[in-house]
Amino acid sequence: TGLHLEAEMPDDANAGGGDSKQFLSGQKVCEVFRRMKEDDMKILGLDITHARPEWFLVQVLPVPPLHVRPSVNAGGGVSEDDLT
């Protein structure tokens, strides 16, 4: 489970026949973005010093500990364990 992306390849890249669509895991997409050539990034209009494609994907989602999260008022009570 997790993130899966669908990539459709052009007909000439699919020389072996079969389906031109592939399902890529989030990890594979990160690897493809890391290996992207700087010339291709410039063609896409990205400034390679400030906007690399792999930076667009959230790879780590920090969650603050309970004692720094604000309290939530819900249903007449206070909840301390909800993410807000």
Side-chain angles (χ1 to χ4, degrees), residues 3-14:
L3 175 66
H4 295 284
L5 298 176
E6 183 178 327
E8 189 164 347
M9 305 300 184
D11 290 335
D12 58 351
N14 191 17

Side-chain angles (χ1 to χ4, degrees), residues 23-67:
F23 290 96
L24 305 174
S25 67
Q27 189 174 24
K28 181 67 175 174
V29 171
C30 285
E31 184 63 29
V32 169
F33 281 175
R34 278 190 203 102
R35 291 181 170 191
M36 187 180 289
K37 296 177 186 175
E38 290 184 359
D39 292 338
D40 293 337
M41 292 181 212
K42 290 178 183 177
I43 290 171
L44 291 172
L46 298 175
D47 180 1
I48 58 174
T49 58
H50 299 291
R52 297 190 56 87
E54 66 267 22
W55 297 348
F56 297 146
L57 302 174
V58 177
Q59 298 178 38
V60 176
L61 186 61
V63 177
L66 286 174
H67 66 277

